[in-house]
């Protein structure tokens, strides 16, 4: 179960991840240098540092080429989070419609040029949408996070054997999701 308050605490980080997963440019990539100053838990900071170190060794042209080779030419590492499970099936279409409805319910208008399961768009939604005090926040966020969890797991599995720097970014993102889970407190009865 998602802890909405914890999810809200990580908005800035979701914005950072969204910026790193769109087609790279100098402005968004410059944010990678700010990781060092961020107050992050070690489980998130460690893979982010590794990602940063690998990316700083590349020129901007090499980063652009890596992005295209990784996300545009490989079905196994697509940024469309429902593609891994459903590919082009009818179920995927229904899920995309549901996801679009969630975005609209929380005040985010969809632009026709991207599908609702595009990872940077989903992360941008977590960053900017007004969902925290919404009466349907729990159900809506459950839908979004479930899709993100499933998709990023498959994406991370595809990137790991290739030694791709984006593996560490996705790993850090998944660690951030873990930090947003509710911690059930076990109550011990005294006898």
């Amino acid at each position: 179960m998602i802890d909405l308050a914890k999810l809200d605490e990580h908005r800035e980080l979701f914005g950072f991840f969204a910026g790193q997963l769109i087609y790279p440019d100098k402005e968004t990539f410059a944010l990678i240098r700010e990781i060092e100053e961020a107050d992050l838990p070690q489980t998130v900071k460690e893979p982010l540092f590794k990602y940063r170190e690998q990316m700083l060794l590349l020129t901007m042209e090499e980063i652009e080429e890596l992005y295209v080779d990784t996300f545009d030419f490989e079905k196994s590492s697509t940024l469309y989070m429902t593609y891994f499970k459903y590919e082009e099936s009818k179920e995927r279409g229904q899920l995309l419609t549901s996801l679009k409805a969630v975005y609209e319910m929380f005040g985010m208008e969809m632009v026709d040029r991207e599908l609702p399961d595009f990872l940077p768009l989903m992360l941008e939604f977590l960053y900017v949408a007004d969902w925290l005090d919404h009466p349907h926040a729990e159900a809506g966020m459950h839908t979004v996070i479930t899709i993100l969890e499933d998709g990023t797991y498959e994406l991370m599995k595809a990137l790991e054997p290739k030694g791709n720097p984006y593996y560490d970014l996705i790993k850090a993102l998944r660690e951030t999701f873990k930090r947003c889970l509710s911690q059930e407190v076990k109550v011990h009865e005294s006898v």
Side-chain angles (χ1 to χ4, degrees):
M1 195 149 215
I2 300 300
D3 182 324
L4 295 177
K6 288 180 183 177
L7 193 65
D8 186 58
E9 290 172 13
H10 292 87
R11 279 184 187 263
E12 293 291 323
L13 197 49
F14 292 127
F16 168 79
F17 286 121
Q20 295 302 303
L21 288 165
I22 58 171
Y23 185 81
D25 63 28
K26 289 181 181 181
E27 287 179 35
T28 56
F29 193 72
L31 295 173
I32 198 169
R33 296 183 186 278
E34 296 176 16
I35 293 172
E36 199 168 302
E37 292 133 30
D39 183 28
L40 301 170
Q42 195 60 32
T43 58
V44 174
K45 190 179 275 194
E46 187 176 305
L48 278 181
F49 276 15
K50 190 172 179 185
Y51 165 75
R52 181 190 71 174
E53 295 308 312
Q54 292 174 358
M55 296 301 261
L56 289 176
L57 295 174
L58 304 174
T59 66
M60 196 64 208
E61 185 176 298
E62 290 170 327
I63 292 168
E64 290 169 349
E65 186 176 319
L66 174 67
Y67 183 91
V68 170
D69 289 346
T70 302
F71 300 123
D72 293 345
F73 294 141
E74 288 288 328
K75 283 185 177 182
S76 66
S77 57
T78 182
L79 289 175
Y80 295 95
M81 297 291 94
T82 60
Y83 185 81
F84 296 107
K85 191 170 185 178
Y86 300 103
E87 294 188 3
E88 297 299 331
S89 71
K90 180 180 178 182
E91 291 86 1
R92 181 176 183 222
Q94 293 169 340
L95 196 54
L96 293 175
T97 301
S98 296
L99 192 54
K100 183 177 179 182
V102 168
Y103 294 163
E104 291 171 352
M105 178 171 51
F106 295 107
M108 185 172 159
E109 265 187 59
M110 283 293 305
V111 179
D112 290 335
R113 62 188 171 114
E114 263 328 325
L115 293 175
D117 67 337
F118 185 56
L119 180 56
L121 177 66
M122 295 183 78
L123 296 171
E124 186 73 15
F125 168 75
L126 292 177
Y127 176 56
V128 300
D130 187 18
W131 46 264
L132 186 59
D133 294 320
H134 194 282
H136 302 290
E138 196 165 305
M141 290 302 105
H142 177 75
T143 299
V144 172
I145 297 299
T146 299
I147 292 169
L148 284 167
E149 279 283 320
D150 290 347
T152 58
Y153 175 75
E154 295 299 327
L155 179 56
M156 190 174 74
K157 279 188 354 186
L159 295 172
E160 184 177 23
K162 299 174 185 176
N164 190 303
Y166 285 105
Y167 163 81
D168 292 300
L169 183 70
I170 300 302
K171 184 177 181 181
L173 174 60
R174 290 184 53 77
E175 288 295 328
T176 305
F177 292 147
K178 286 180 189 176
R179 301 197 63 76
C180 298
L181 296 176
S182 297
Q183 300 296 321
E184 291 191 21
V185 179
K186 293 182 180 180
V187 178
H188 295 58
E189 292 182 25
S190 37
V191 181

